[in-house]
């Protein structure tokens, strides 16, 4: 007999909580091999092809292309051990680790107590023996695989992911009537199922379907006590988006308990059940005069709405968190980079691999961090400690067609200019082709931002949370400069340092930046640290 195993979205890297489904690589009913790539997802600014640890028949997929799923949510179910006639019933136990922090052995079965199905013939009830998500009278799969999958899921025996118990009855069941992975608390109350039919990924409530697809939106609403039936979606065809739930929460925080105002203002009271005016108030007084919160929300401006998801959503979240949590300050200085450019030209004319300017700047950064380790740190507010880090994992900002990414050069402090050049080249090419791995994008301790490639002189960089500082480098351009007591045209660059004021004071930050500028102006200074 086939065993149905559930494969959940694995941990794709430190600090990542969700992924966007870009493209499914398999179809329901398709036979897959162990470690076969089944879905392409986008998260943490990288495209990742996710392999399945099980071999068998795909019985269900969860989430359409373009949908966001949280880490741990079901991706697909596979019936393993469904052998052809005459073959053994050996079950493939999985292949080992797939991605960061995710074991692929069969998950421990967790049995859940399930209320017996209603067999009284009430609307919405299932006939005895009908699998969850199947319609009475629907033909069974030829091999019994789909029936086995639905049956196992309906009995809660297919694993302990988000679709299983979280300790408070918070289960998601791939039931066709409620949508794949819909939380059971999004279902109608007992005895109020009704004949809703198949709504795909739309949550169903006691009074009909609610236009919400994303499990993240349902979770956000559930955790904050927001009734999705009370919201007016701003997405296509009234789809409820995360922004709608967040607006409702802000409205509640400011005392507008009727959320959102637009939805309330458009809902006419039933005859005989209008709002009761306060004692002494004219009965004909409009509701908006009695309750300012009931006033209609100003119409949204016309324009193109671009969802903040994928790379852009991750960047938005991270930058917002940095501005919200880090008390940053910025200092800057101009430096004469003429000698640095001469030194690079001399290195490259000597033969061997070419040395990039970014590699020389990185080498200067690591030397400066060795002198000022406070800036290679992170802040642990729970422990109220500043953690100074032993290794320098240097991130560098790279603009690609898909957005801004920050690949990380591991152990940059232990690399010479040639090794740094090679690693920068490898990571830049991977960023361009979208093949960066989660490990390439995580674990940075300090970031170097060469925004001079955009032809600008200066900037005030936003720190890459949870790091403590970022060095910005503007364009190197010929400018008038006093050199050896005379006015001359020199190659001048502006350097800026944004730092977390919790880890150090301005004196430390200024000392770091001054040392960097000295090395740019006189590269021979670096010889003291070799």
């Amino acid at each position: 007999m086939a065993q149905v195993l559930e494969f959940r979205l694995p941990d794709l890297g430190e600090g990542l909580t969700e992924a966007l489904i870009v493209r499914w690589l398999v179809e329901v009913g398709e036979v897959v091999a162990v470690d076969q790539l089944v879905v392409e997802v986008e998260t943490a600014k990288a495209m990742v092809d996710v392999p399945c640890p099980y071999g068998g028949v795909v019985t269900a997929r969860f989430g359409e292309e373009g949908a966001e799923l949280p880490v741990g949510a079901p991706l697909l179910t596979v019936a393993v051990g469904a052998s052809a006639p005459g073959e053994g019933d050996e079950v493939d136990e999985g292949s080992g680790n797939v991605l960061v922090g995710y074991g692929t052995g069969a998950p421990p079965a967790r049995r859940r107590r399930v209320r017996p199905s209603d067999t009284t013939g009430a609307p919405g009830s299932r006939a005895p023996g009908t699998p969850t998500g199947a319609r009475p009278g629907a033909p069974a799969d030829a091999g019994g695989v789909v029936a086995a999958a639905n049956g196992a899921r309906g009995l809660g025996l297919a694993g302990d992911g988000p679709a299983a118990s979280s300790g408070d009855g918070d289960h998601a069941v791939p039931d066709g009537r409620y949508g794949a992975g819909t939380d059971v608390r999004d279902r109608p109350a007992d005895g109020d199922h009704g004949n809703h039919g198949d709504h795909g990924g739309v949550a169903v409530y006691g009074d009909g379907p609610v236009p919400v697809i994303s499990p993240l939106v349902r979770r956000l609403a559930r955790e904050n006590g927001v009734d999705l039936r009370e919201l007016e979606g701003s997405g296509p065809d009234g789809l409820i988006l995360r922004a709608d739930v967040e607006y409702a929460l802000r409205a509640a925080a400011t005392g507008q308990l009727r959320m959102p105002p637009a939805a309330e203002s458009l809902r006419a009271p039933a005859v005989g059940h209008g709002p009761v005016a306060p004692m002494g108030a004219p009965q004909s007084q409009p509701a908006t005069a009695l309750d300012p919160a009931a006033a209609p929300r100003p119409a949204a401006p016309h324009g193109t709405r671009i969802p903040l998801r994928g790379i852009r959503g991750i960047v938005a979240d991270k930058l917002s968190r940095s501005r919200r949590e880090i008390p940053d300050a910025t200092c800057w200085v101009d430096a004469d980079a003429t000698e640095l450019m001469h030194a690079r030209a001399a290195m490259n004319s000597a033969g061997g691999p070419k040395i990039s300017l970014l590699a020389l700047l990185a080498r200067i950064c690591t030397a400066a961090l060795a002198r000022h380790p406070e800036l290679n740190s992170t802040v642990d507010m729970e422990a109220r400690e500043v953690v100074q880090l032993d290794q320098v994992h240097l991130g560098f900002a790279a603009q690609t067609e898909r957005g801004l990414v920050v690949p990380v050069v591991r152990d940059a402090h232990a690399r010479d200019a040639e090794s740094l050049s090679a690693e920068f080249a490898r990571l830049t090419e991977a960023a361009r082709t979208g093949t960066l791995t989660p490990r390439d994008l995580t674990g940075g301790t300090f970031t170097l931002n060469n925004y001079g490639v955009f032809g600008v002189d200066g900037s005030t960089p936003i720190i890459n949370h949870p790091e403590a500082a970022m060095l910005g480098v503007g364009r190197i351009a010929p400018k008038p400069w006093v050199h050896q007591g005379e006015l001359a045209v020199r190659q001048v660059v502006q350097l800026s340092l944004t730092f977390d004021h919790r880890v150090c004071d301005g004196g430390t930050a200024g000392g770091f930046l001054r040392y960097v500028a000295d090395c740019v102006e006189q590269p021979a200074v670096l010889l003291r640290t070799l």
Side-chain angles (χ1 to χ4, degrees):
M1 181 176 178
Q3 178 184 6
V4 178
L5 300 178
E6 182 182 78
F7 177 44
R8 295 169 285 152
L9 178 64
D11 179 2
L12 300 172
E14 58 187 61
L16 307 182
T17 60
E18 59 192 33
L20 177 74
I21 296 176
V22 176
R23 181 167 59 100
W24 282 106
L25 306 179
V26 295
E27 301 290 338
V28 173
E30 184 175 336
V31 177
V32 296
V34 172
D35 287 343
Q36 178 176 334
L37 302 178
V38 294
V39 65
E40 183 181 32
V41 300
E42 180 182 57
T43 185
K45 314 166 193 175
M47 302 287 286
V48 180
D49 291 330
V50 180
C52 179
Y54 311 125
V57 180
V58 177
T59 59
R61 300 186 319 194
F62 303 100
E64 298 296 329
E65 293 179 355
E68 284 185 334
L69 293 180
V71 169
L75 269 179
L76 50 78
T77 52
V78 178
V80 300
S83 56
E87 296 183 1
D89 292 327
E90 197 171 311
V91 176
D92 193 333
E93 294 295 339
S95 62
N97 290 334
V98 184
L99 291 173
V100 178
Y102 189 86
T104 65
R110 177 178 292 181
R111 298 182 180 272
R112 295 178 291 174
R113 186 179 300 276
V114 179
R115 186 174 294 126
S117 299
D118 184 1
T119 60
T120 61
S125 63
R126 295 191 296 271
T130 303
T132 302
R135 293 183 296 275
D141 178 72
V145 173
V146 174
N150 289 335
R153 293 281 304 176
L155 293 175
L157 303 178
D160 60 348
S165 174
S166 63
D168 61 352
D170 183 8
H171 309 308
V173 179
D175 190 325
R177 295 179 300 135
Y178 304 107
T182 301
D183 193 283
V184 295
R185 282 186 282 186
D186 290 337
R187 298 183 178 187
D190 292 342
D192 189 25
H193 293 285
N195 186 14
H196 300 305
D198 187 354
H199 298 289
V202 177
V204 178
Y205 289 82
D207 58 352
V210 173
V212 55
I213 295 176
S214 171
L216 299 177
V217 173
R218 289 197 295 270
R219 183 180 64 185
L220 179 64
R222 182 176 67 248
E223 292 177 350
N224 291 277
V226 176
D227 188 347
L228 290 172
R229 292 170 295 187
E230 300 296 321
L231 301 188
E232 178 184 13
S234 61
D237 299 322
L239 183 67
I240 296 176
L241 307 176
R242 180 188 300 182
D244 300 318
V245 178
E246 291 173 345
Y247 172 82
L249 295 175
R250 289 194 298 270
T254 56
Q256 300 179 20
L257 300 179
R258 301 166 72 175
M259 307 177 299
E264 289 293 334
S265 65
L266 294 176
R267 179 176 298 152
V271 176
H273 297 280
V276 178
M279 184 175 296
Q283 294 296 317
S284 59
Q285 191 170 4
T288 54
L290 298 175
D291 184 4
R297 181 172 48 177
H302 295 288
T304 302
R305 288 181 173 266
I306 302 174
L308 279 175
R309 62 186 184 188
I311 289 181
R312 180 48 53 193
I314 293 169
V315 170
D317 291 341
K318 193 153 191 176
L319 296 182
S320 297
R321 182 177 183 183
S322 178
R323 280 297 194 209
R324 185 171 59 250
E325 296 184 8
I326 298 178
D328 58 350
T330 301
C331 54
W332 57 90
V333 65
D334 290 339
D336 180 0
T338 306
E339 296 303 322
L340 180 67
M341 301 300 288
H342 288 167
R344 178 180 176 239
M347 291 178 185
N348 290 336
S349 64
K354 299 297 183 181
I355 304 299
S356 68
L357 178 61
L358 189 61
L360 294 180
L361 293 171
R363 186 68 188 86
I364 293 172
C365 268
T366 57
L369 289 172
R371 298 170 69 96
H372 301 280
E374 298 92 336
L375 294 169
N376 190 55
S377 61
T378 187
V379 177
D380 184 348
M381 287 303 295
E382 291 187 3
R384 301 192 66 80
E385 294 175 341
V386 174
V387 183
Q388 292 188 8
L389 304 170
D390 297 329
Q391 289 82 30
V392 177
H393 301 315
L394 187 66
F396 66 100
Q399 190 71 36
T400 70
E401 293 181 357
R402 297 173 51 249
L404 179 69
V405 295
V406 185
V408 176
V409 176
R410 306 245 165 213
D411 299 317
H413 61 289
R415 297 176 181 264
D416 58 17
E418 185 175 317
S419 174
L420 287 168
S421 293
E423 187 66 358
F424 280 132
R426 182 189 74 81
L427 291 171
T428 300
E429 177 61 19
R432 187 186 65 81
T433 58
T435 57
L436 289 168
T437 67
R439 187 174 187 274
D440 291 333
L441 292 161
T442 55
T445 64
F446 185 93
T447 296
L448 175 61
N449 186 356
N450 182 20
Y451 45 74
V453 297
F454 302 119
V456 298
D457 293 325
S459 176
T460 55
I462 299 177
I463 297 174
N464 188 18
H465 185 280
E467 298 171 12
M470 176 184 291
L471 178 68
V473 181
R475 64 172 178 163
I476 299 177
K479 294 181 180 180
W481 189 267
V482 176
H483 176 65
Q484 295 181 351
E486 295 183 358
L487 187 63
V489 176
R490 305 286 286 181
Q491 300 294 317
V492 178
V493 62
Q494 184 179 97
L495 306 170
S496 60
L497 176 72
T498 297
F499 64 99
D500 186 340
H501 226 312
R502 295 173 297 180
V503 305
C504 68
D505 296 326
T508 300
F512 173 93
L513 190 59
R514 187 63 257 171
Y515 180 80
V516 170
D518 289 344
C519 290
V520 167
E521 294 185 339
Q522 303 177 44
V525 172
L526 279 176
L527 294 176
R528 298 178 181 176
T529 64
L530 297 179

mmCIF file of all heavy atoms in Angstrom, residues 51-90:
data_model
loop_
_atom_site.group_PDB
_atom_site.id
_atom_site.type_symbol
_atom_site.label_atom_id
_atom_site.label_comp_id
_atom_site.label_asym_id
_atom_site.label_seq_id
_atom_site.Cartn_x
_atom_site.Cartn_y
_atom_site.Cartn_z
ATOM 1 N N PRO A 51 14.860 20.487 -4.561
ATOM 2 C CA PRO A 51 14.728 19.062 -4.862
ATOM 3 C C PRO A 51 13.808 18.376 -3.860
ATOM 4 O O PRO A 51 13.730 18.769 -2.693
ATOM 5 C CB PRO A 51 16.158 18.548 -4.736
ATOM 6 C CG PRO A 51 16.772 19.436 -3.705
ATOM 7 C CD PRO A 51 16.117 20.789 -3.845
ATOM 8 N N CYS A 52 13.125 17.347 -4.313
ATOM 9 C CA CYS A 52 12.232 16.586 -3.433
ATOM 10 C C CYS A 52 12.983 15.382 -2.880
ATOM 11 O O CYS A 52 13.639 14.663 -3.643
ATOM 12 C CB CYS A 52 10.997 16.123 -4.210
ATOM 13 S SG CYS A 52 9.853 15.142 -3.220
ATOM 14 N N PRO A 53 12.919 15.138 -1.587
ATOM 15 C CA PRO A 53 13.665 14.027 -0.999
ATOM 16 C C PRO A 53 13.005 12.671 -1.181
ATOM 17 O O PRO A 53 13.550 11.667 -0.754
ATOM 18 C CB PRO A 53 13.720 14.408 0.486
ATOM 19 C CG PRO A 53 12.467 15.182 0.705
ATOM 20 C CD PRO A 53 12.222 15.945 -0.572
ATOM 21 N N TYR A 54 11.810 12.628 -1.769
ATOM 22 C CA TYR A 54 11.079 11.381 -1.908
ATOM 23 C C TYR A 54 10.916 11.007 -3.376
ATOM 24 O O TYR A 54 10.826 11.880 -4.248
ATOM 25 C CB TYR A 54 9.695 11.478 -1.265
ATOM 26 C CG TYR A 54 9.707 12.033 0.132
ATOM 27 C CD1 TYR A 54 8.919 13.139 0.467
ATOM 28 C CD2 TYR A 54 10.523 11.484 1.110
ATOM 29 C CE1 TYR A 54 8.940 13.663 1.756
ATOM 30 C CE2 TYR A 54 10.550 11.998 2.392
ATOM 31 C CZ TYR A 54 9.761 13.090 2.706
ATOM 32 O OH TYR A 54 9.791 13.612 3.969
ATOM 33 N N GLY A 55 10.856 9.719 -3.638
ATOM 34 C CA GLY A 55 10.557 9.226 -4.976
ATOM 35 C C GLY A 55 9.191 8.572 -4.980
ATOM 36 O O GLY A 55 8.857 7.809 -4.082
ATOM 37 N N GLY A 56 8.382 8.880 -5.979
ATOM 38 C CA GLY A 56 7.040 8.308 -6.054
ATOM 39 C C GLY A 56 6.166 9.107 -6.987
ATOM 40 O O GLY A 56 6.649 9.743 -7.928
ATOM 41 N N VAL A 57 4.869 9.102 -6.713
ATOM 42 C CA VAL A 57 3.893 9.793 -7.549
ATOM 43 C C VAL A 57 3.428 11.058 -6.839
ATOM 44 O O VAL A 57 3.015 11.016 -5.673
ATOM 45 C CB VAL A 57 2.679 8.884 -7.847
ATOM 46 C CG1 VAL A 57 1.662 9.619 -8.712
ATOM 47 C CG2 VAL A 57 3.134 7.610 -8.537
ATOM 48 N N VAL A 58 3.505 12.202 -7.525
ATOM 49 C CA VAL A 58 3.030 13.466 -6.961
ATOM 50 C C VAL A 58 1.509 13.419 -6.894
ATOM 51 O O VAL A 58 0.829 13.238 -7.911
ATOM 52 C CB VAL A 58 3.483 14.655 -7.823
ATOM 53 C CG1 VAL A 58 2.920 15.960 -7.271
ATOM 54 C CG2 VAL A 58 5.003 14.721 -7.890
ATOM 55 N N THR A 59 0.975 13.572 -5.701
ATOM 56 C CA THR A 59 -0.475 13.494 -5.527
ATOM 57 C C THR A 59 -1.127 14.848 -5.307
ATOM 58 O O THR A 59 -2.341 14.978 -5.469
ATOM 59 C CB THR A 59 -0.815 12.585 -4.327
ATOM 60 O OG1 THR A 59 -0.193 13.121 -3.150
ATOM 61 C CG2 THR A 59 -0.324 11.161 -4.561
ATOM 62 N N ALA A 60 -0.342 15.858 -4.921
ATOM 63 C CA ALA A 60 -0.924 17.186 -4.716
ATOM 64 C C ALA A 60 0.192 18.224 -4.717
ATOM 65 O O ALA A 60 1.317 17.936 -4.308
ATOM 66 C CB ALA A 60 -1.707 17.249 -3.403
ATOM 67 N N ARG A 61 -0.147 19.415 -5.203
ATOM 68 C CA ARG A 61 0.738 20.576 -5.114
ATOM 69 C C ARG A 61 0.006 21.658 -4.338
ATOM 70 O O ARG A 61 -1.201 21.799 -4.461
ATOM 71 C CB ARG A 61 1.102 21.111 -6.504
ATOM 72 C CG ARG A 61 1.816 20.149 -7.396
ATOM 73 C CD ARG A 61 2.279 20.795 -8.698
ATOM 74 N NE ARG A 61 1.313 21.713 -9.289
ATOM 75 C CZ ARG A 61 1.402 22.174 -10.527
ATOM 76 N NH1 ARG A 61 2.438 21.822 -11.286
ATOM 77 N NH2 ARG A 61 0.500 22.999 -11.016
ATOM 78 N N PHE A 62 0.762 22.429 -3.562
ATOM 79 C CA PHE A 62 0.149 23.463 -2.740
ATOM 80 C C PHE A 62 0.712 24.825 -3.131
ATOM 81 O O PHE A 62 1.894 25.088 -2.971
ATOM 82 C CB PHE A 62 0.397 23.198 -1.255
ATOM 83 C CG PHE A 62 -0.101 21.854 -0.804
ATOM 84 C CD1 PHE A 62 0.776 20.798 -0.657
ATOM 85 C CD2 PHE A 62 -1.445 21.643 -0.595
ATOM 86 C CE1 PHE A 62 0.324 19.562 -0.260
ATOM 87 C CE2 PHE A 62 -1.911 20.402 -0.204
ATOM 88 C CZ PHE A 62 -1.027 19.351 -0.038
ATOM 89 N N GLY A 63 -0.149 25.684 -3.658
ATOM 90 C CA GLY A 63 0.274 27.023 -4.045
ATOM 91 C C GLY A 63 0.429 27.146 -5.545
ATOM 92 O O GLY A 63 1.040 26.300 -6.204
ATOM 93 N N GLU A 64 -0.139 28.206 -6.087
ATOM 94 C CA GLU A 64 -0.007 28.488 -7.508
ATOM 95 C C GLU A 64 1.267 29.288 -7.766
ATOM 96 O O GLU A 64 1.857 29.857 -6.856
ATOM 97 C CB GLU A 64 -1.231 29.286 -7.996
ATOM 98 C CG GLU A 64 -2.552 28.553 -7.854
ATOM 99 C CD GLU A 64 -2.619 27.305 -8.707
ATOM 100 O OE1 GLU A 64 -1.991 27.303 -9.789
ATOM 101 O OE2 GLU A 64 -3.262 26.327 -8.298
ATOM 102 N N GLU A 65 1.685 29.329 -9.007
ATOM 103 C CA GLU A 65 2.832 30.143 -9.371
ATOM 104 C C GLU A 65 2.531 31.613 -9.075
ATOM 105 O O GLU A 65 1.472 32.119 -9.427
ATOM 106 C CB GLU A 65 3.170 29.942 -10.848
ATOM 107 C CG GLU A 65 3.670 28.537 -11.147
ATOM 108 C CD GLU A 65 3.993 28.332 -12.621
ATOM 109 O OE1 GLU A 65 3.732 29.259 -13.415
ATOM 110 O OE2 GLU A 65 4.477 27.241 -12.989
ATOM 111 N N GLY A 66 3.465 32.258 -8.391
ATOM 112 C CA GLY A 66 3.262 33.642 -7.971
ATOM 113 C C GLY A 66 2.798 33.779 -6.539
ATOM 114 O O GLY A 66 2.759 34.881 -5.999
ATOM 115 N N ALA A 67 2.462 32.651 -5.889
ATOM 116 C CA ALA A 67 2.001 32.694 -4.499
ATOM 117 C C ALA A 67 3.193 32.620 -3.549
ATOM 118 O O ALA A 67 4.223 32.013 -3.855
ATOM 119 C CB ALA A 67 1.044 31.544 -4.218
ATOM 120 N N GLU A 68 3.049 33.252 -2.384
ATOM 121 C CA GLU A 68 4.075 33.185 -1.340
ATOM 122 C C GLU A 68 3.707 32.117 -0.334
ATOM 123 O O GLU A 68 2.549 31.997 0.072
ATOM 124 C CB GLU A 68 4.213 34.534 -0.631
ATOM 125 C CG GLU A 68 4.964 35.582 -1.423
ATOM 126 C CD GLU A 68 5.166 36.853 -0.632
ATOM 127 O OE1 GLU A 68 4.358 37.126 0.270
ATOM 128 O OE2 GLU A 68 6.125 37.579 -0.926
ATOM 129 N N LEU A 69 4.699 31.343 0.086
ATOM 130 C CA LEU A 69 4.495 30.322 1.108
ATOM 131 C C LEU A 69 5.486 30.550 2.241
ATOM 132 O O LEU A 69 6.649 30.887 1.987
ATOM 133 C CB LEU A 69 4.715 28.919 0.526
ATOM 134 C CG LEU A 69 3.727 28.409 -0.521
ATOM 135 C CD1 LEU A 69 4.125 27.008 -0.968
ATOM 136 C CD2 LEU A 69 2.312 28.404 0.021
ATOM 137 N N PRO A 70 5.062 30.345 3.486
ATOM 138 C CA PRO A 70 6.011 30.448 4.591
ATOM 139 C C PRO A 70 6.852 29.189 4.684
ATOM 140 O O PRO A 70 6.440 28.110 4.234
ATOM 141 C CB PRO A 70 5.089 30.581 5.817
ATOM 142 C CG PRO A 70 3.832 29.887 5.416
ATOM 143 C CD PRO A 70 3.680 30.119 3.933
ATOM 144 N N VAL A 71 8.053 29.319 5.241
ATOM 145 C CA VAL A 71 8.904 28.155 5.467
ATOM 146 C C VAL A 71 8.153 27.160 6.350
ATOM 147 O O VAL A 71 7.563 27.535 7.361
ATOM 148 C CB VAL A 71 10.229 28.572 6.132
ATOM 149 C CG1 VAL A 71 11.000 27.359 6.625
ATOM 150 C CG2 VAL A 71 11.067 29.375 5.162
ATOM 151 N N GLY A 72 8.155 25.904 5.945
ATOM 152 C CA GLY A 72 7.436 24.872 6.678
ATOM 153 C C GLY A 72 6.071 24.569 6.130
ATOM 154 O O GLY A 72 5.435 23.602 6.551
ATOM 155 N N ALA A 73 5.581 25.370 5.178
ATOM 156 C CA ALA A 73 4.273 25.109 4.582
ATOM 157 C C ALA A 73 4.391 23.943 3.602
ATOM 158 O O ALA A 73 5.439 23.704 3.007
ATOM 159 C CB ALA A 73 3.751 26.354 3.861
ATOM 160 N N PRO A 74 3.305 23.181 3.396
ATOM 161 C CA PRO A 74 3.360 22.062 2.449
ATOM 162 C C PRO A 74 3.651 22.548 1.035
ATOM 163 O O PRO A 74 3.070 23.523 0.571
ATOM 164 C CB PRO A 74 1.959 21.451 2.544
ATOM 165 C CG PRO A 74 1.393 21.940 3.828
ATOM 166 C CD PRO A 74 1.984 23.289 4.061
ATOM 167 N N LEU A 75 4.558 21.862 0.365
ATOM 168 C CA LEU A 75 4.817 22.125 -1.051
ATOM 169 C C LEU A 75 4.075 21.118 -1.921
ATOM 170 O O LEU A 75 3.368 21.470 -2.845
ATOM 171 C CB LEU A 75 6.313 22.037 -1.341
ATOM 172 C CG LEU A 75 7.140 23.317 -1.226
ATOM 173 C CD1 LEU A 75 8.613 23.026 -1.517
ATOM 174 C CD2 LEU A 75 6.624 24.383 -2.168
ATOM 175 N N LEU A 76 4.261 19.826 -1.616
ATOM 176 C CA LEU A 76 3.576 18.787 -2.367
ATOM 177 C C LEU A 76 3.541 17.515 -1.537
ATOM 178 O O LEU A 76 4.230 17.391 -0.525
ATOM 179 C CB LEU A 76 4.251 18.547 -3.728
ATOM 180 C CG LEU A 76 5.755 18.333 -3.803
ATOM 181 C CD1 LEU A 76 6.161 16.920 -3.405
ATOM 182 C CD2 LEU A 76 6.253 18.600 -5.217
ATOM 183 N N THR A 77 2.707 16.588 -1.958
ATOM 184 C CA THR A 77 2.667 15.273 -1.329
ATOM 185 C C THR A 77 3.038 14.239 -2.382
ATOM 186 O O THR A 77 2.713 14.383 -3.568
ATOM 187 C CB THR A 77 1.277 14.944 -0.755
ATOM 188 O OG1 THR A 77 0.282 15.134 -1.772
ATOM 189 C CG2 THR A 77 0.957 15.839 0.427
ATOM 190 N N VAL A 78 3.732 13.198 -1.925
ATOM 191 C CA VAL A 78 4.217 12.145 -2.812
ATOM 192 C C VAL A 78 3.811 10.799 -2.232
ATOM 193 O O VAL A 78 4.031 10.536 -1.046
ATOM 194 C CB VAL A 78 5.753 12.213 -2.964
ATOM 195 C CG1 VAL A 78 6.251 11.082 -3.857
ATOM 196 C CG2 VAL A 78 6.180 13.558 -3.523
ATOM 197 N N ALA A 79 3.215 9.969 -3.074
ATOM 198 C CA ALA A 79 2.892 8.601 -2.679
ATOM 199 C C ALA A 79 4.089 7.734 -3.029
ATOM 200 O O ALA A 79 4.427 7.559 -4.201
ATOM 201 C CB ALA A 79 1.643 8.115 -3.393
ATOM 202 N N VAL A 80 4.758 7.206 -2.013
ATOM 203 C CA VAL A 80 5.931 6.364 -2.229
ATOM 204 C C VAL A 80 5.543 4.916 -1.974
ATOM 205 O O VAL A 80 4.630 4.624 -1.197
ATOM 206 C CB VAL A 80 7.096 6.779 -1.312
ATOM 207 C CG1 VAL A 80 7.496 8.204 -1.567
ATOM 208 C CG2 VAL A 80 6.725 6.594 0.154
ATOM 209 N N GLY A 81 6.224 4.026 -2.653
ATOM 210 C CA GLY A 81 5.907 2.607 -2.499
ATOM 211 C C GLY A 81 4.721 2.186 -3.319
ATOM 212 O O GLY A 81 4.219 1.077 -3.153
ATOM 213 N N ALA A 82 4.229 3.071 -4.220
ATOM 214 C CA ALA A 82 3.128 2.685 -5.102
ATOM 215 C C ALA A 82 3.732 1.976 -6.303
ATOM 216 O O ALA A 82 4.066 2.568 -7.313
ATOM 217 C CB ALA A 82 2.346 3.920 -5.553
ATOM 218 N N SER A 83 3.917 0.664 -6.189
ATOM 219 C CA SER A 83 4.647 -0.093 -7.199
ATOM 220 C C SER A 83 3.720 -0.628 -8.264
ATOM 221 O O SER A 83 2.514 -0.785 -8.068
ATOM 222 C CB SER A 83 5.396 -1.250 -6.536
ATOM 223 O OG SER A 83 4.495 -2.047 -5.804
ATOM 224 N N ALA A 84 4.310 -0.925 -9.401
ATOM 225 C CA ALA A 84 3.556 -1.536 -10.485
ATOM 226 C C ALA A 84 3.294 -2.994 -10.151
ATOM 227 O O ALA A 84 3.966 -3.588 -9.315
ATOM 228 C CB ALA A 84 4.351 -1.417 -11.783
ATOM 229 N N PRO A 85 2.277 -3.651 -10.799
ATOM 230 C CA PRO A 85 1.978 -5.055 -10.516
ATOM 231 C C PRO A 85 3.207 -5.928 -10.704
ATOM 232 O O PRO A 85 3.924 -5.810 -11.691
ATOM 233 C CB PRO A 85 0.882 -5.382 -11.547
ATOM 234 C CG PRO A 85 0.242 -4.072 -11.852
ATOM 235 C CD PRO A 85 1.346 -3.070 -11.784
ATOM 236 N N GLY A 86 3.437 -6.775 -9.731
ATOM 237 C CA GLY A 86 4.550 -7.698 -9.821
ATOM 238 C C GLY A 86 5.822 -7.178 -9.176
ATOM 239 O O GLY A 86 6.782 -7.909 -9.037
ATOM 240 N N GLU A 87 5.838 -5.902 -8.802
ATOM 241 C CA GLU A 87 7.023 -5.336 -8.170
ATOM 242 C C GLU A 87 6.846 -5.306 -6.662
ATOM 243 O O GLU A 87 5.737 -5.417 -6.141
ATOM 244 C CB GLU A 87 7.285 -3.917 -8.687
ATOM 245 C CG GLU A 87 7.602 -3.882 -10.174
ATOM 246 C CD GLU A 87 7.917 -2.476 -10.628
ATOM 247 O OE1 GLU A 87 7.903 -1.587 -9.767
ATOM 248 O OE2 GLU A 87 8.172 -2.291 -11.835
ATOM 249 N N GLY A 88 7.969 -5.117 -5.944
ATOM 250 C CA GLY A 88 7.893 -5.077 -4.489
ATOM 251 C C GLY A 88 7.274 -3.798 -4.002
ATOM 252 O O GLY A 88 7.008 -2.879 -4.759
ATOM 253 N N ASP A 89 7.037 -3.753 -2.710
ATOM 254 C CA ASP A 89 6.424 -2.573 -2.097
ATOM 255 C C ASP A 89 7.438 -1.828 -1.249
ATOM 256 O O ASP A 89 7.118 -1.315 -0.196
ATOM 257 C CB ASP A 89 5.219 -2.992 -1.245
ATOM 258 C CG ASP A 89 4.082 -3.513 -2.077
ATOM 259 O OD1 ASP A 89 3.900 -3.026 -3.213
ATOM 260 O OD2 ASP A 89 3.399 -4.424 -1.614
ATOM 261 N N GLU A 90 8.646 -1.773 -1.724
ATOM 262 C CA GLU A 90 9.690 -1.108 -0.946
ATOM 263 C C GLU A 90 9.477 0.397 -0.939
ATOM 264 O O GLU A 90 9.149 0.996 -1.960
ATOM 265 C CB GLU A 90 11.049 -1.428 -1.580
ATOM 266 C CG GLU A 90 12.206 -1.146 -0.650
ATOM 267 C CD GLU A 90 13.490 -1.688 -1.228
ATOM 268 O OE1 GLU A 90 13.512 -2.845 -1.643
ATOM 269 O OE2 GLU A 90 14.462 -0.927 -1.256
#
